[in-house]
Amino acid sequence: MVTKGNAFDPNCPTRTILDRIGDKWTVLVVLSLRSGPLRFTELRDRIGQVAPKVLTQTLRRMERDGLITREVYPEIPPKVVYTLTPMGDSLIGPISVITDWAETHLPAITKAQAAYDGV
């Protein structure tokens, strides 16, 4: 039986999971895939300014964590499609709320940073 984790326990794997789902690339992949499956190039273009190596590493970690599936079609060249799993899909709500919060509060945060930096 698996028990619920405790994020305040320094040895709990929950911290690793929080690190993963709090990663900006993971967040952007989830938001990109919310409308349906995408190929690697489509994901890269939608996210923008992500190095192919970084996106590949992010996708592999997300697949390992059970957040996405990677399906390879036997074509030439091979077609690879990424899709959110039901668990990955369950992140859309929380991530959308946090993204909306960040976009809404961006002006206030930018103003606070400028004040703090004495600009």
Side-chain angles (χ1 to χ4, degrees), residues 32 38-50 55:
S32 296
L38 293 173
R39 296 179 74 166
F40 183 88
T41 305
E42 294 170 323
L43 266 172
R44 189 188 67 215
D45 292 347
R46 184 167 293 175
I47 292 170
Q49 304 240 335
V50 59
L55 182 56

Side-chain angles (χ1 to χ4, degrees), residues 14-88:
T14 299
R15 289 185 177 205
T16 303
I17 296 167
L18 288 172
D19 184 51
R20 176 89 67 246
I21 62 175
D23 173 75
K24 71 177 174 182
W25 302 120
T26 299
V27 167
L28 293 171
V29 167
V30 168
L31 292 175
S32 296
L33 292 176
R34 70 181 162 191
S35 58
L38 293 173
R39 296 179 74 166
F40 183 88
T41 305
E42 294 170 323
L43 266 172
R44 189 188 67 215
D45 292 347
R46 184 167 293 175
I47 292 170
Q49 304 240 335
V50 59
K53 179 181 177 182
V54 172
L55 182 56
T56 298
Q57 291 169 340
T58 300
L59 292 169
R60 285 182 182 157
R61 284 191 295 260
M62 291 178 71
E63 184 179 14
R64 180 175 184 261
D65 291 344
L67 301 175
I68 62 169
T69 59
R70 178 181 184 268
E71 189 170 357
V72 181
Y73 295 89
E75 300 175 4
I76 298 177
K79 178 181 174 183
V80 179
V81 175
Y82 297 92
T83 307
L84 287 173
T85 63
M87 186 167 47

Side-chain angles (χ1 to χ4, degrees), residues 101-102 105-119:
W101 182 91
H105 291 86
L106 177 63
I109 292 169
T110 303
K111 184 178 176 180
Q113 290 171 340
Y116 182 88
D117 295 341
V119 177

